[in-house]
Amino acid sequence: MGKDHAEGKGKQAEGKVKEVAGVATDNRELEAEGKAKQVEGKGQEVVGDAKDALKDDEKKKN
C-alpha cells in the first residue's frame, strides 16, 4: 500500500466520521462535507492504483 492509498483511506475514514456526526446532529452541511471527503479519498486511492499499475508495468519492461 502506497502513500496515496493510505491517505485515501484516512480521508475516507475522516469523511465517514463527519457524515455520521452530521446525521446525528441533523447538520446537513457537515454531512455533505463528510460525503465529499469520502469521494476525495476514493479518488486518491484510484490515483494510487494508477501509480502502482505504472510501476508494475515499468518493472515488467525491464
Side-chain angles (χ1 to χ4, degrees):
M1 182 185 309
K3 178 183 172 186
D4 288 305
H5 287 106
E7 288 181 6
K9 291 279 187 195
K11 287 180 182 180
Q12 287 182 56
E14 178 186 347
K16 189 64 178 178
V17 169
K18 281 187 174 184
E19 180 186 2
V20 170
V23 169
T25 60
D26 200 29
N27 182 336
R28 290 181 187 235
E29 185 176 335
L30 185 60
E31 182 181 353
E33 285 176 21
K35 287 180 180 180
K37 193 67 143 177
Q38 289 177 70
V39 170
E40 181 183 349
K42 287 178 186 175
Q44 191 161 4
E45 279 193 281
V46 169
V47 169
D49 290 342
K51 286 181 180 179
D52 287 348
L54 287 172
K55 287 179 187 176
D56 290 346
D57 191 44
E58 284 297 316
K59 286 180 184 178
K60 288 179 185 176
K61 288 182 181 179
N62 292 328

Short mmCIF file of all heavy atoms in Angstrom, two decimals:
data_model
loop_
_atom_site.label_atom_id
_atom_site.label_comp_id
_atom_site.label_asym_id
_atom_site.label_seq_id
_atom_site.Cartn_x
_atom_site.Cartn_y
_atom_site.Cartn_z
N MET A 1 0.85 -1.17 0.00
CA MET A 1 0.00 0.00 0.00
C MET A 1 0.89 1.23 0.00
O MET A 1 1.75 1.39 0.86
CB MET A 1 -0.91 0.00 1.23
CG MET A 1 -1.84 1.17 1.24
SD MET A 1 -2.89 1.41 2.69
CE MET A 1 -3.66 -0.12 2.94
N GLY A 2 0.68 2.11 -0.96
CA GLY A 2 1.47 3.31 -1.08
C GLY A 2 0.89 4.47 -0.29
O GLY A 2 -0.14 4.37 0.38
N LYS A 3 1.59 5.57 -0.42
CA LYS A 3 1.20 6.80 0.29
C LYS A 3 -0.21 7.24 -0.11
O LYS A 3 -1.01 7.62 0.75
CB LYS A 3 2.21 7.89 -0.03
CG LYS A 3 1.91 9.22 0.59
CD LYS A 3 2.92 10.28 0.18
CE LYS A 3 2.48 11.64 0.66
NZ LYS A 3 3.36 12.70 0.16
N ASP A 4 -0.50 7.19 -1.40
CA ASP A 4 -1.82 7.63 -1.85
C ASP A 4 -2.93 6.75 -1.30
O ASP A 4 -4.00 7.24 -0.94
CB ASP A 4 -1.88 7.65 -3.39
CG ASP A 4 -1.08 8.79 -3.99
OD1 ASP A 4 -1.34 9.94 -3.60
OD2 ASP A 4 -0.20 8.53 -4.82
N HIS A 5 -2.67 5.44 -1.24
CA HIS A 5 -3.67 4.53 -0.69
C HIS A 5 -3.94 4.85 0.79
O HIS A 5 -5.09 4.92 1.22
CB HIS A 5 -3.22 3.08 -0.81
CG HIS A 5 -3.27 2.56 -2.20
ND1 HIS A 5 -2.15 2.36 -2.96
CD2 HIS A 5 -4.31 2.20 -2.99
CE1 HIS A 5 -2.50 1.90 -4.14
NE2 HIS A 5 -3.82 1.79 -4.19
N ALA A 6 -2.87 5.04 1.54
CA ALA A 6 -3.02 5.31 2.97
C ALA A 6 -3.74 6.63 3.21
O ALA A 6 -4.64 6.71 4.05
CB ALA A 6 -1.65 5.32 3.64
N GLU A 7 -3.34 7.66 2.48
CA GLU A 7 -4.00 8.96 2.65
C GLU A 7 -5.46 8.89 2.21
O GLU A 7 -6.34 9.50 2.83
CB GLU A 7 -3.26 10.04 1.87
CG GLU A 7 -1.94 10.42 2.49
CD GLU A 7 -1.20 11.50 1.71
OE1 GLU A 7 -1.77 12.07 0.74
OE2 GLU A 7 -0.06 11.80 2.08
N GLY A 8 -5.72 8.14 1.15
CA GLY A 8 -7.10 7.98 0.68
C GLY A 8 -7.98 7.30 1.71
O GLY A 8 -9.11 7.72 1.96
N LYS A 9 -7.45 6.25 2.32
CA LYS A 9 -8.20 5.54 3.37
C LYS A 9 -8.46 6.47 4.56
O LYS A 9 -9.54 6.47 5.14
CB LYS A 9 -7.45 4.30 3.85
CG LYS A 9 -7.36 3.20 2.85
CD LYS A 9 -8.63 2.39 2.82
CE LYS A 9 -8.43 1.19 1.91
NZ LYS A 9 -9.67 0.56 1.55
N GLY A 10 -7.45 7.28 4.90
CA GLY A 10 -7.61 8.22 6.02
C GLY A 10 -8.69 9.25 5.74
O GLY A 10 -9.51 9.57 6.61
N LYS A 11 -8.70 9.77 4.51
CA LYS A 11 -9.72 10.75 4.14
C LYS A 11 -11.11 10.13 4.14
O LYS A 11 -12.08 10.77 4.56
CB LYS A 11 -9.41 11.35 2.77
CG LYS A 11 -8.25 12.31 2.79
CD LYS A 11 -7.96 12.87 1.42
CE LYS A 11 -6.75 13.80 1.48
NZ LYS A 11 -6.43 14.37 0.17
N GLN A 12 -11.19 8.89 3.71
CA GLN A 12 -12.49 8.22 3.73
C GLN A 12 -12.99 8.03 5.16
O GLN A 12 -14.17 8.25 5.44
CB GLN A 12 -12.40 6.86 3.03
CG GLN A 12 -12.28 6.97 1.53
CD GLN A 12 -12.23 5.61 0.88
OE1 GLN A 12 -13.12 4.80 1.05
NE2 GLN A 12 -11.18 5.36 0.12
N ALA A 13 -12.09 7.65 6.05
CA ALA A 13 -12.48 7.46 7.45
C ALA A 13 -12.91 8.79 8.07
O ALA A 13 -13.92 8.86 8.77
CB ALA A 13 -11.32 6.86 8.24
N GLU A 14 -12.14 9.84 7.80
CA GLU A 14 -12.48 11.17 8.32
C GLU A 14 -13.84 11.61 7.78
O GLU A 14 -14.68 12.15 8.51
CB GLU A 14 -11.41 12.17 7.91
CG GLU A 14 -11.68 13.58 8.34
CD GLU A 14 -10.65 14.58 7.79
OE1 GLU A 14 -9.60 14.16 7.27
OE2 GLU A 14 -10.93 15.79 7.89
N GLY A 15 -14.06 11.35 6.51
CA GLY A 15 -15.33 11.72 5.90
C GLY A 15 -16.51 10.97 6.49
O GLY A 15 -17.58 11.54 6.71
N LYS A 16 -16.31 9.70 6.78
CA LYS A 16 -17.39 8.91 7.38
C LYS A 16 -17.75 9.43 8.76
O LYS A 16 -18.94 9.52 9.10
CB LYS A 16 -16.97 7.42 7.46
CG LYS A 16 -18.10 6.51 7.84
CD LYS A 16 -19.19 6.52 6.78
CE LYS A 16 -20.31 5.57 7.11
NZ LYS A 16 -21.39 5.62 6.12
N VAL A 17 -16.73 9.81 9.52
CA VAL A 17 -16.98 10.37 10.86
C VAL A 17 -17.79 11.66 10.73
O VAL A 17 -18.77 11.87 11.45
CB VAL A 17 -15.66 10.62 11.61
CG1 VAL A 17 -15.89 11.43 12.87
CG2 VAL A 17 -14.99 9.29 11.95
N LYS A 18 -17.39 12.53 9.80
CA LYS A 18 -18.12 13.79 9.60
C LYS A 18 -19.56 13.52 9.15
O LYS A 18 -20.49 14.18 9.61
CB LYS A 18 -17.42 14.66 8.56
CG LYS A 18 -16.24 15.41 9.08
CD LYS A 18 -15.73 16.38 8.03
CE LYS A 18 -14.64 17.25 8.58
NZ LYS A 18 -14.20 18.27 7.60
N GLU A 19 -19.71 12.57 8.24
CA GLU A 19 -21.05 12.25 7.75
C GLU A 19 -21.95 11.77 8.88
O GLU A 19 -23.08 12.24 9.03
CB GLU A 19 -20.97 11.18 6.65
CG GLU A 19 -22.33 10.80 6.10
CD GLU A 19 -22.27 9.64 5.14
OE1 GLU A 19 -21.19 9.08 4.89
OE2 GLU A 19 -23.35 9.27 4.63
N VAL A 20 -21.45 10.85 9.68
CA VAL A 20 -22.24 10.30 10.79
C VAL A 20 -22.55 11.40 11.81
O VAL A 20 -23.67 11.49 12.31
CB VAL A 20 -21.51 9.11 11.44
CG1 VAL A 20 -22.18 8.69 12.73
CG2 VAL A 20 -21.45 7.94 10.46
N ALA A 21 -21.57 12.25 12.08
CA ALA A 21 -21.80 13.35 13.02
C ALA A 21 -22.86 14.30 12.47
O ALA A 21 -23.70 14.80 13.22
CB ALA A 21 -20.50 14.10 13.28
N GLY A 22 -22.81 14.55 11.18
CA GLY A 22 -23.81 15.42 10.56
C GLY A 22 -25.21 14.84 10.64
O GLY A 22 -26.18 15.55 10.92
N VAL A 23 -25.32 13.54 10.43
CA VAL A 23 -26.64 12.87 10.54
C VAL A 23 -27.12 12.92 11.98
O VAL A 23 -28.29 13.23 12.25
CB VAL A 23 -26.55 11.42 10.03
CG1 VAL A 23 -27.81 10.64 10.38
CG2 VAL A 23 -26.29 11.38 8.53
N ALA A 24 -26.22 12.65 12.92
CA ALA A 24 -26.59 12.60 14.33
C ALA A 24 -27.04 13.96 14.86
O ALA A 24 -27.92 14.04 15.71
CB ALA A 24 -25.43 12.08 15.18
N THR A 25 -26.44 15.01 14.34
CA THR A 25 -26.77 16.36 14.82
C THR A 25 -27.72 17.10 13.88
O THR A 25 -28.01 18.27 14.09
CB THR A 25 -25.48 17.20 14.99
OG1 THR A 25 -24.83 17.31 13.71
CG2 THR A 25 -24.56 16.60 16.01
N ASP A 26 -28.19 16.40 12.85
CA ASP A 26 -29.07 17.00 11.84
C ASP A 26 -28.42 18.22 11.19
O ASP A 26 -29.06 19.23 10.93
CB ASP A 26 -30.43 17.36 12.45
CG ASP A 26 -31.50 17.52 11.37
OD1 ASP A 26 -31.39 16.86 10.31
OD2 ASP A 26 -32.44 18.31 11.58
N ASN A 27 -27.11 18.10 10.93
CA ASN A 27 -26.34 19.16 10.30
C ASN A 27 -26.03 18.71 8.87
O ASN A 27 -25.08 17.97 8.63
CB ASN A 27 -25.05 19.42 11.10
CG ASN A 27 -24.22 20.55 10.54
OD1 ASN A 27 -24.31 20.88 9.36
ND2 ASN A 27 -23.41 21.14 11.40
N ARG A 28 -26.83 19.16 7.93
CA ARG A 28 -26.69 18.72 6.54
C ARG A 28 -25.38 19.17 5.92
O ARG A 28 -24.82 18.48 5.08
CB ARG A 28 -27.87 19.21 5.71
CG ARG A 28 -29.15 18.51 6.08
CD ARG A 28 -30.29 19.00 5.23
NE ARG A 28 -31.53 18.44 5.72
CZ ARG A 28 -32.37 17.75 4.96
NH1 ARG A 28 -32.10 17.57 3.69
NH2 ARG A 28 -33.47 17.27 5.47
N GLU A 29 -24.89 20.33 6.33
CA GLU A 29 -23.63 20.83 5.79
C GLU A 29 -22.47 19.90 6.20
O GLU A 29 -21.63 19.54 5.37
CB GLU A 29 -23.36 22.25 6.28
CG GLU A 29 -22.11 22.87 5.66
CD GLU A 29 -21.90 24.32 6.08
OE1 GLU A 29 -22.89 25.00 6.42
OE2 GLU A 29 -20.75 24.75 6.05
N LEU A 30 -22.42 19.51 7.45
CA LEU A 30 -21.38 18.61 7.94
C LEU A 30 -21.50 17.24 7.26
O LEU A 30 -20.50 16.64 6.88
CB LEU A 30 -21.47 18.47 9.46
CG LEU A 30 -20.37 17.65 10.13
CD1 LEU A 30 -19.00 18.25 9.88
CD2 LEU A 30 -20.64 17.55 11.63
N GLU A 31 -22.72 16.79 7.10
CA GLU A 31 -22.95 15.52 6.42
C GLU A 31 -22.43 15.57 4.98
O GLU A 31 -21.75 14.65 4.51
CB GLU A 31 -24.45 15.20 6.43
CG GLU A 31 -24.81 13.89 5.78
CD GLU A 31 -26.32 13.62 5.79
OE1 GLU A 31 -27.08 14.39 6.40
OE2 GLU A 31 -26.70 12.62 5.17
N ALA A 32 -22.71 16.66 4.28
CA ALA A 32 -22.25 16.83 2.90
C ALA A 32 -20.73 16.91 2.84
O ALA A 32 -20.11 16.35 1.93
CB ALA A 32 -22.88 18.07 2.29
N GLU A 33 -20.12 17.62 3.80
CA GLU A 33 -18.65 17.69 3.85
C GLU A 33 -18.06 16.30 4.00
O GLU A 33 -17.05 15.96 3.39
CB GLU A 33 -18.19 18.55 5.02
CG GLU A 33 -18.37 20.03 4.83
CD GLU A 33 -17.98 20.83 6.07
OE1 GLU A 33 -17.24 20.30 6.92
OE2 GLU A 33 -18.42 21.98 6.19
N GLY A 34 -18.68 15.50 4.83
CA GLY A 34 -18.22 14.14 5.05
C GLY A 34 -18.30 13.29 3.80
O GLY A 34 -17.36 12.57 3.47
N LYS A 35 -19.40 13.40 3.11
CA LYS A 35 -19.56 12.64 1.87
C LYS A 35 -18.54 13.09 0.83
O LYS A 35 -17.95 12.26 0.12
CB LYS A 35 -20.98 12.79 1.33
CG LYS A 35 -22.00 12.03 2.15
CD LYS A 35 -23.40 12.20 1.60
CE LYS A 35 -24.40 11.44 2.44
NZ LYS A 35 -25.77 11.57 1.93
N ALA A 36 -18.31 14.39 0.75
CA ALA A 36 -17.32 14.91 -0.20
C ALA A 36 -15.91 14.43 0.14
O ALA A 36 -15.13 14.07 -0.75
CB ALA A 36 -17.36 16.44 -0.21
N LYS A 37 -15.59 14.38 1.42
CA LYS A 37 -14.28 13.91 1.86
C LYS A 37 -14.09 12.44 1.51
O LYS A 37 -13.00 12.02 1.12
CB LYS A 37 -14.12 14.14 3.36
CG LYS A 37 -12.73 13.98 3.88
CD LYS A 37 -11.84 15.07 3.33
CE LYS A 37 -10.84 15.52 4.35
NZ LYS A 37 -9.93 16.51 3.80
N GLN A 38 -15.15 11.65 1.62
CA GLN A 38 -15.08 10.24 1.25
C GLN A 38 -14.81 10.07 -0.24
O GLN A 38 -13.99 9.24 -0.65
CB GLN A 38 -16.37 9.53 1.63
CG GLN A 38 -16.55 9.36 3.12
CD GLN A 38 -17.87 8.71 3.46
OE1 GLN A 38 -18.05 7.53 3.19
NE2 GLN A 38 -18.78 9.47 4.05
N VAL A 39 -15.46 10.88 -1.05
CA VAL A 39 -15.24 10.82 -2.50
C VAL A 39 -13.80 11.24 -2.83
O VAL A 39 -13.14 10.61 -3.66
CB VAL A 39 -16.26 11.72 -3.25
CG1 VAL A 39 -15.90 11.85 -4.71
CG2 VAL A 39 -17.66 11.17 -3.09
N GLU A 40 -13.32 12.25 -2.14
CA GLU A 40 -11.93 12.70 -2.33
C GLU A 40 -10.96 11.55 -2.00
O GLU A 40 -10.00 11.31 -2.72
CB GLU A 40 -11.65 13.91 -1.43
CG GLU A 40 -10.26 14.45 -1.56
CD GLU A 40 -9.99 15.61 -0.61
OE1 GLU A 40 -10.93 16.13 0.03
OE2 GLU A 40 -8.82 15.99 -0.49
N GLY A 41 -11.23 10.86 -0.92
CA GLY A 41 -10.39 9.74 -0.52
C GLY A 41 -10.41 8.60 -1.53
O GLY A 41 -9.38 8.01 -1.84
N LYS A 42 -11.58 8.30 -2.05
CA LYS A 42 -11.69 7.25 -3.06
C LYS A 42 -10.92 7.64 -4.32
O LYS A 42 -10.26 6.81 -4.94
CB LYS A 42 -13.15 6.97 -3.38
CG LYS A 42 -13.87 6.23 -2.27
CD LYS A 42 -15.33 6.00 -2.59
CE LYS A 42 -16.02 5.38 -1.38
NZ LYS A 42 -17.46 5.24 -1.58
N GLY A 43 -11.00 8.91 -4.67
CA GLY A 43 -10.25 9.40 -5.84
C GLY A 43 -8.75 9.27 -5.64
O GLY A 43 -8.02 8.90 -6.55
N GLN A 44 -8.30 9.56 -4.45
CA GLN A 44 -6.88 9.46 -4.15
C GLN A 44 -6.42 7.99 -4.22
O GLN A 44 -5.31 7.71 -4.66
CB GLN A 44 -6.55 10.05 -2.79
CG GLN A 44 -5.07 10.20 -2.57
CD GLN A 44 -4.74 11.18 -1.46
OE1 GLN A 44 -5.63 11.69 -0.79
NE2 GLN A 44 -3.47 11.42 -1.27
N GLU A 45 -7.28 7.09 -3.81
CA GLU A 45 -6.94 5.67 -3.93
C GLU A 45 -6.82 5.25 -5.39
O GLU A 45 -5.95 4.46 -5.75
CB GLU A 45 -8.00 4.80 -3.24
CG GLU A 45 -7.82 4.71 -1.76
CD GLU A 45 -8.67 3.62 -1.17
OE1 GLU A 45 -9.89 3.88 -0.99
OE2 GLU A 45 -8.13 2.54 -0.90
N VAL A 46 -7.68 5.80 -6.25
CA VAL A 46 -7.61 5.50 -7.68
C VAL A 46 -6.27 5.99 -8.25
O VAL A 46 -5.64 5.30 -9.04
CB VAL A 46 -8.81 6.13 -8.43
CG1 VAL A 46 -8.61 6.05 -9.94
CG2 VAL A 46 -10.10 5.44 -8.03
N VAL A 47 -5.85 7.16 -7.81
CA VAL A 47 -4.54 7.68 -8.23
C VAL A 47 -3.44 6.72 -7.79
O VAL A 47 -2.53 6.40 -8.56
CB VAL A 47 -4.29 9.10 -7.65
CG1 VAL A 47 -2.85 9.52 -7.84
CG2 VAL A 47 -5.24 10.11 -8.28
N GLY A 48 -3.53 6.24 -6.57
CA GLY A 48 -2.56 5.27 -6.08
C GLY A 48 -2.56 3.99 -6.89
O GLY A 48 -1.49 3.44 -7.20
N ASP A 49 -3.73 3.52 -7.28
CA ASP A 49 -3.84 2.32 -8.10
C ASP A 49 -3.16 2.55 -9.46
O ASP A 49 -2.45 1.68 -9.97
CB ASP A 49 -5.30 1.93 -8.33
CG ASP A 49 -5.97 1.40 -7.08
OD1 ASP A 49 -5.27 1.00 -6.13
OD2 ASP A 49 -7.23 1.39 -7.06
N ALA A 50 -3.38 3.72 -10.04
CA ALA A 50 -2.78 4.04 -11.33
C ALA A 50 -1.25 4.10 -11.22
O ALA A 50 -0.54 3.57 -12.09
CB ALA A 50 -3.32 5.37 -11.86
N LYS A 51 -0.76 4.71 -10.16
CA LYS A 51 0.69 4.78 -9.95
C LYS A 51 1.27 3.38 -9.79
O LYS A 51 2.32 3.07 -10.35
CB LYS A 51 1.02 5.62 -8.73
CG LYS A 51 0.85 7.11 -8.94
CD LYS A 51 1.24 7.87 -7.67
CE LYS A 51 1.11 9.35 -7.82
NZ LYS A 51 1.46 10.07 -6.59
N ASP A 52 0.59 2.53 -9.03
CA ASP A 52 1.06 1.16 -8.83
C ASP A 52 1.08 0.40 -10.15
O ASP A 52 2.02 -0.35 -10.43
CB ASP A 52 0.18 0.42 -7.82
CG ASP A 52 0.40 0.89 -6.39
OD1 ASP A 52 1.38 1.62 -6.13
OD2 ASP A 52 -0.44 0.53 -5.54
N ALA A 53 0.05 0.59 -10.96
CA ALA A 53 -0.02 -0.10 -12.25
C ALA A 53 1.13 0.35 -13.16
O ALA A 53 1.74 -0.47 -13.85
CB ALA A 53 -1.36 0.17 -12.92
N LEU A 54 1.44 1.65 -13.14
CA LEU A 54 2.55 2.14 -13.95
C LEU A 54 3.88 1.58 -13.48
O LEU A 54 4.73 1.19 -14.28
CB LEU A 54 2.59 3.67 -13.91
CG LEU A 54 1.52 4.39 -14.70
CD1 LEU A 54 1.56 5.90 -14.42
CD2 LEU A 54 1.68 4.13 -16.18
N LYS A 55 4.06 1.51 -12.15
CA LYS A 55 5.29 0.94 -11.60
C LYS A 55 5.43 -0.53 -11.99
O LYS A 55 6.50 -0.98 -12.38
CB LYS A 55 5.31 1.09 -10.08
CG LYS A 55 5.57 2.49 -9.61
CD LYS A 55 5.55 2.55 -8.09
CE LYS A 55 5.65 3.99 -7.60
NZ LYS A 55 5.53 4.08 -6.14
N ASP A 56 4.33 -1.27 -11.88
CA ASP A 56 4.35 -2.69 -12.26
C ASP A 56 4.68 -2.86 -13.72
O ASP A 56 5.43 -3.75 -14.11
CB ASP A 56 3.02 -3.36 -11.93
CG ASP A 56 2.78 -3.53 -10.44
OD1 ASP A 56 3.73 -3.39 -9.66
OD2 ASP A 56 1.61 -3.77 -10.06
N ASP A 57 4.12 -2.00 -14.56
CA ASP A 57 4.36 -2.07 -15.98
C ASP A 57 5.83 -1.79 -16.30
O ASP A 57 6.44 -2.45 -17.12
CB ASP A 57 3.44 -1.07 -16.72
CG ASP A 57 3.46 -1.27 -18.23
OD1 ASP A 57 3.40 -2.45 -18.66
OD2 ASP A 57 3.53 -0.27 -18.96
N GLU A 58 6.39 -0.81 -15.61
CA GLU A 58 7.80 -0.47 -15.81
C GLU A 58 8.71 -1.63 -15.38
O GLU A 58 9.70 -1.92 -16.04
CB GLU A 58 8.17 0.79 -15.03
CG GLU A 58 7.67 2.08 -15.65
CD GLU A 58 8.27 2.34 -17.02
OE1 GLU A 58 9.49 2.16 -17.20
OE2 GLU A 58 7.50 2.73 -17.92
N LYS A 59 8.35 -2.30 -14.29
CA LYS A 59 9.15 -3.44 -13.82
C LYS A 59 9.11 -4.57 -14.83
O LYS A 59 10.12 -5.26 -15.05
CB LYS A 59 8.62 -3.94 -12.46
CG LYS A 59 8.98 -3.03 -11.32
CD LYS A 59 8.43 -3.57 -10.01
CE LYS A 59 8.70 -2.61 -8.87
NZ LYS A 59 8.13 -3.09 -7.61
N LYS A 60 7.96 -4.79 -15.47
CA LYS A 60 7.83 -5.86 -16.44
C LYS A 60 8.65 -5.57 -17.69
O LYS A 60 9.14 -6.48 -18.34
CB LYS A 60 6.36 -6.06 -16.81
CG LYS A 60 5.54 -6.68 -15.72
CD LYS A 60 4.09 -6.83 -16.12
CE LYS A 60 3.26 -7.35 -14.96
NZ LYS A 60 1.83 -7.40 -15.30
N LYS A 61 8.79 -4.29 -18.04
CA LYS A 61 9.55 -3.91 -19.22
C LYS A 61 11.05 -4.10 -19.01
O LYS A 61 11.78 -4.35 -19.95
CB LYS A 61 9.27 -2.46 -19.59
CG LYS A 61 7.90 -2.26 -20.18
CD LYS A 61 7.68 -0.82 -20.57
CE LYS A 61 6.30 -0.61 -21.15
NZ LYS A 61 6.06 0.79 -21.52
N ASN A 62 11.49 -3.97 -17.78
CA ASN A 62 12.94 -4.06 -17.52
C ASN A 62 13.33 -5.43 -17.22
O ASN A 62 13.44 -6.37 -17.11
CB ASN A 62 13.33 -3.17 -16.34
CG ASN A 62 13.17 -1.71 -16.70
OD1 ASN A 62 13.34 -1.35 -17.84
ND2 ASN A 62 12.83 -0.88 -15.74
#
